[in-house]
Amino acid sequence: MKKLVIPILGFWLSCLLPACTSSDHFLKETDYRQKVETDFNQKKEVLNRGNLFAVFNEEMTQEEREAMMFLYAYMTPGDIADYSGDFYLKNVRLSLQDRKQTSWGSQIPDLIFRHFVLPIRVNNENLDNAREVFRKELMPRVEKLSMYDAVLEVNHWCHEKVIYTPTDSRTSAPLATVKTAYGRCGEESTFLVAALRAVGIPARQVYTPRWAHTDDNHAWVEAWVDGKWYFLGACEPEPVLNLGWFNAPASRGMLMHTKVFGAYDGPEDVMKTTANYTEINIIDNYAQSAPVTVTVVDSLGKAVEGAHVEFKLYNYAEFYTVANKTTDASGKASLSAGLGDMLVYASANQRFGLKKVSFGKDKEVTLALTHRPGDVFTDTLHIVPPAEKANLPELTEAQRKENTLRMAKEDSIRNAYVATFPTEEKAKAFAQGLKLDETRASDFIVKSRGNYADIMQFLSHAAEKGQGTRALELLGTLAEKDLRDTPCAILEDHLYATDAAADVKEVLAPRIASEMLTPYRSYLQKAFPAELAAQIKADPQVLVKWCKDSLLIRNDLSTLFTTTSPEGVWRSRVTDSQSRDIFFVAAARSLGIPAWKDEVNGNICYRLNGNPVLVDFEKSEGGNLSEGILKATYQPIPRLDNPKYYTHFTLSKYDNGTFQLQNHPENASWVSLLKNGSQMSTGYYMLVTGSRMANGSVLSQVSFFTVEDGKTTVTPLCMRDNTEEVRVIGNFNSEALYTLPENGEQTSILNTTGRGYYIVGVLGVGQEPTNHALKDIEIKKAEFEKWGRTLVLLFTDEAAYKRFDRKEFPNLPSNVVFGIDKDGSILKMIAENMKLGSKPTLPVIILGDTFNRVVFESHGYTIGMGEQLLHVIHGL
C-alpha cells in the first residue's frame, strides 16, 4: 500500500498546479522523481504558514517545475522563508538555458547537473544575484573555449576580482566578495563555485575541515570537466588543473569533504545523509587513506547501539570534530581517513570514552564508555599527522611564465578598482564636513572598502537628523565584514527604530551572533500585536514562553550551518534552535529589552531591572547565571612563559553528551584568563593543551574537571615538551608587507616566498653580529640553495640599504631576496611575538612557514648561524 502513495502524490501535484508548457522531465528517473515529490510535499506540509510556496502557482515548463521542486525539497526552512520563489525560478531558468546553449551543456549527466550546477547555495553565504551578474560578464570570455580551458579562464577572471585575505568566519555572498576585492579561502571558493555554475560548469567546494599537520583549515574547488573531477585553488589561477600551493599539504590531509545539495547517489564514499545534503568523503583524491572501525561498548563490554561517535583532529589547540557517526546494532561506526592519528570520542546514556586511533595502523578499535560527567582524570596523547607525499602535474617553464604575466595584469585590474576606495584623508574630510568624530568615522569608511557609499550615506543621513554620534556608536558594534556588505537601509532600520536612549551594546546593536544582518527591527515591531508586545515589555519571560509555544524547532531540517533571519522565523514559525536564539534576542531588542547571546558559551540572556536573566526555553521561569571560578597553575617550558588560547590550550564544556568549545577572545592567554582565575559557567569541562612540533606532530594532554557554583576550581595547565624535536615557538604573519628597494613598491613575504618554509632576517648594516651571521650563511651557500626556499633579508630603512655593500658578501645564496622594513612593522611583529623587547639586538632572524608558524628565532651575536638554521631545516 505504501508504494502506491508516492505516485498518487505526484499525480495530484500535477493536477493542482498550473499546466506545464513542455513535457520534458528534469528528473528523468521515475524512482528519484517520486522521492523528490515525497520530500517536497513533506517540506510543504511542515512549512504551511506564510504562503512560502506561492511561486508554484506560476506558469512553468515541466522541466522548470521539477527543478524548482528539487530545490524546495532540499532547501532549509530559512532559505525558503528568506528568499522569494521568483528568485529561485530566475536562477533555475538561467541554469537550464546554460545547459542548452553552452558547448559542454549536453555532455553533463543529469546527476552531475542536478547537484553541481543547479543549486545556488554553496556554503552558508547570503544568497544574491551572482549567477545572473557573473553570467553576463563571463559568457563572452568562455563560450568558444573547451570546458577545460573555460575552467582556467573563469579562475583568472576571479583573480581579477578577488585576492586572499583572512576574514571572520561568516561567509560573504559572492557579489559582496567582489565588492570587497578580497576574502578568505571559504569565500574565494564560494565565489569560484558560483562563477563556474553561472556558466553551466559543474563545481563543488572542497574543505579540509582542519589540517592535521598545522593549525587552520582550507577550502578550494573541484570542477567537473569531460567526465572527471579536477581541483584548483580559488582565485589562485595556475596554468593547469590539479595544481595549487596546497598539493603538498593536502597529501598530509586526513579528511577532505564536500556537501552535495539534495539526496545524492554518486560513486563517492558517503559520510552523512541529512534532510538537505549528502556529505561525501573525497580524501582519496588527494592522499592515501585507510578505514578504521570503532566498536563502542559499555562498562560490561556489551556493544552500544546508537552511540554518538566523533572523530576529532587536533587543531587550534582543541580536538575538533571532523566527522560525526552513530553506531549500528553491533555498536560499530567507521571512517576512512588519511594515514595519521585522530582522537575518537563516543557518548551514550550519560557515559563517554575517548581513545587515539591511527589510520593505516589500526583497523578495529574497541572504545569503552568508562567515564561519567564529573569524573576527574587526565590523559596524554602523542598525535602524529600523515607524512607528505605530494603528486604534482607536469608544467613547462613557458606555461609558468605566461601565467605569471597574466596574474600580474589581473593584479593591476583589481588594484585599479581598489584605488577607487576612499583614502583616509578623503574619509576624514567627509567626516569633518558632517562634524563627526574624524578618527572613528574615517576608520569605518576605510574599512568598508567597496561598500563605502552605503556607509557614507548612512552617516550623512544620520548627521542630517542629528544622530551622527549615535550612528557611529551603532557602527562600532559591528564586525568589519558588516561594514563591507551591509546596505544603508539595514543600518537605518536599526538606528531609527531604536530609542535614542537605549543601551548601545544590548539594544541598539544589530548583530547577535554570526548571522547576516537584516532589517528585522521595524518588521518585528509591526508584526507583534500591541497587546503581546506590551506583555513582553513588562515581563520578557512572556517572549520566552511565546518562542516555546509558537515555534516548531526542526534542527533536522536546518543542517547547512545557515540561520533563518528573524523575519523568516516569524513568517514560517519553523526554525532551528540557533535561529530561535537569534530571533529571541532580535525580538527583545526590537521591543527595547536588553538581550544578548554570550560570545563565550552561547547562553541567551536578557536584562530585567538591571540584572541578567538566563533564558531556558524548556522552563517557564528565567534562571540566575550559575558561575564558579576556574584557575590554572602552570610550570613554564622553554620560550613559553604565557600559553595562548587557541594556540596552546582551549576549554570545552560538556553539553548533552558532547563537549562545546568555549569561544574566549583570540588574545586570551593563561595570564589573562586562568592565572588569577576567571568566572566560568558551572559545569563539566575538558582542558586541552598541546605543543606542536615542527614536523606537525603534537604532544597533547586532556584534563577533565567540574566548575561548581560559587566555588574555585584549580587545575594544572601542562604544556608537554620534547627537547629532541623542533617545536613551533611562535607565529608570524606571512602576509606582512615590506618594500622592494628597486622600485619602492610593497609586496608581502608570502608573495615573495610562495607557500612553504622561509627565512626572514632584519639586519644591522655594518654591525659585527650581522656581518658574522651573513658570513655563516655564505659558508652554507650550497646547502641553502639545495633547500630552495627563500631567505628574505630586510634593512631597517632605505639609508641602511644604501650603506650595505653586497661586494663584501659575494657568496650569499642565490635564493636571498633583499628588502626594506620601511615602517619597522616586521621587526616589531617579530619582537612582540617572540618577546624580544621593544629594541631587540640585530640581526633578528626567524625560520617560519606560510601557515604562520615560527620554528626558529635568533637575535644578536650568534655563532654558526647557517649551521643552526640548516639543523632546524633538516629536522622539519
Side-chain angles (χ1 to χ4, degrees), residues 19-74:
C20 299
T21 59
S22 168
S23 61
D24 292 337
H25 282 294
F26 176 75
L27 302 171
K28 294 182 174 60
E29 312 98 318
T30 303
D31 290 346
Y32 191 82
R33 184 166 64 251
Q34 291 173 348
K35 173 179 171 50
V36 172
E37 287 177 359
T38 301
D39 292 342
F40 171 81
N41 280 291
Q42 289 176 349
K43 188 70 67 73
K44 190 175 181 181
E45 185 177 343
V46 173
L47 294 166
N48 54 21
R49 292 178 59 101
N51 201 22
L52 301 177
F53 293 77
V55 67
F56 287 91
N57 295 322
E58 297 183 20
E59 186 173 314
M60 307 178 208
T61 66
Q62 182 166 280
E63 185 180 35
E64 291 168 351
R65 187 170 301 283
E66 290 181 4
M68 285 287 286
M69 186 171 62
F70 170 73
L71 289 180
Y72 272 72
Y74 302 113

Side-chain angles (χ1 to χ4, degrees), residues 444-619:
F444 293 138
I445 292 168
V446 170
K447 287 178 178 176
S448 68
R449 294 179 65 83
N451 197 44
Y452 66 87
D454 280 83
I455 299 302
M456 293 171 78
Q457 182 182 8
F458 172 63
L459 290 173
S460 180
H461 288 178
E464 290 173 7
K465 297 175 184 292
Q467 295 201 46
T469 300
R470 187 73 166 168
L472 290 175
E473 289 178 331
L474 186 151
L475 294 178
T477 69
L478 303 182
E480 281 193 27
K481 188 171 290 179
D482 296 330
L483 298 172
R484 301 195 294 266
D485 68 3
T486 306
C488 173
I490 292 177
L491 299 174
E492 292 187 337
D493 172 81
H494 291 281
L495 179 63
Y496 303 133
T498 304
D499 188 284
D503 181 83
V504 173
K505 186 177 180 181
E506 297 178 4
V507 180
L508 175 64
R511 173 151 303 291
I512 298 164
S514 58
E515 75 284 3
M516 181 72 188
L517 297 185
T518 62
Y520 61 76
R521 204 167 298 245
S522 57
Y523 178 91
L524 293 178
Q525 288 171 353
K526 295 174 184 176
F528 273 98
E531 184 179 352
L532 177 58
Q535 292 174 354
I536 292 171
K537 291 177 183 179
D539 179 8
Q541 200 62 30
V542 173
L543 179 59
V544 178
K545 186 176 186 304
W546 186 92
C547 289
K548 178 185 177 183
D549 295 342
S550 303
L551 301 180
L552 176 62
I553 304 302
R554 290 294 301 269
N555 290 325
D556 59 315
L557 297 181
S558 303
T559 53
L560 281 167
F561 307 107
T562 60
T563 56
T564 307
S565 73
E567 304 97 307
V569 172
W570 179 270
R571 280 192 293 270
S572 67
R573 306 294 168 89
V574 179
T575 190
D576 57 279
S577 53
Q578 181 183 6
S579 299
R580 183 265 324 273
D581 292 351
I582 292 171
F583 172 84
F584 174 87
V585 176
R589 289 180 179 177
S590 298
L591 298 176
I593 301 165
W596 65 94
K597 182 173 184 177
D598 190 284
E599 294 179 357
V600 174
N601 55 39
N603 287 338
I604 303 299
C605 302
Y606 63 84
R607 196 174 298 281
L608 183 64
N609 300 324
N611 298 314
V613 180
L614 179 65
V615 170
D616 187 335
F617 291 102
E618 299 306 314
K619 295 181 179 179

Side-chain angles (χ1 to χ4, degrees), residues 352 372-377 626-631 651-654 659 678 680-687 703-715:
F352 69 92
R372 293 180 181 272
D375 289 354
V376 178
F377 70 100
S626 178
E627 294 183 327
I629 295 176
L630 178 62
K631 296 177 68 172
L651 290 161
S652 296
K653 185 183 175 187
Y654 185 83
F659 283 89
S678 293
M680 300 280 173
S681 294
T682 56
Y684 188 51
Y685 284 83
M686 173 173 64
L687 169 66
S703 304
F704 297 83
F705 51 83
T706 299
V707 174
E708 299 181 67
D709 188 24
K711 296 183 179 180
T712 298
T713 299
V714 181
T715 187

Side-chain angles (χ1 to χ4, degrees), residues 26 61 63-64 67 91-101 113 118 131:
F26 176 75
T61 66
E63 185 180 35
E64 291 168 351
N91 278 274
V92 163
R93 286 171 171 163
L94 288 172
S95 297
L96 296 176
Q97 187 176 339
D98 286 346
R99 194 177 193 187
K100 293 178 176 68
Q101 293 182 353
F113 184 87
L118 183 73
R131 184 164 302 205

Side-chain angles (χ1 to χ4, degrees), residues 296-314:
V296 178
V297 299
D298 60 20
S299 57
L300 300 177
K302 183 181 177 181
V304 179
E305 181 181 2
H308 177 63
V309 180
E310 301 176 39
F311 291 85
K312 294 173 171 282
L313 274 174
Y314 180 91

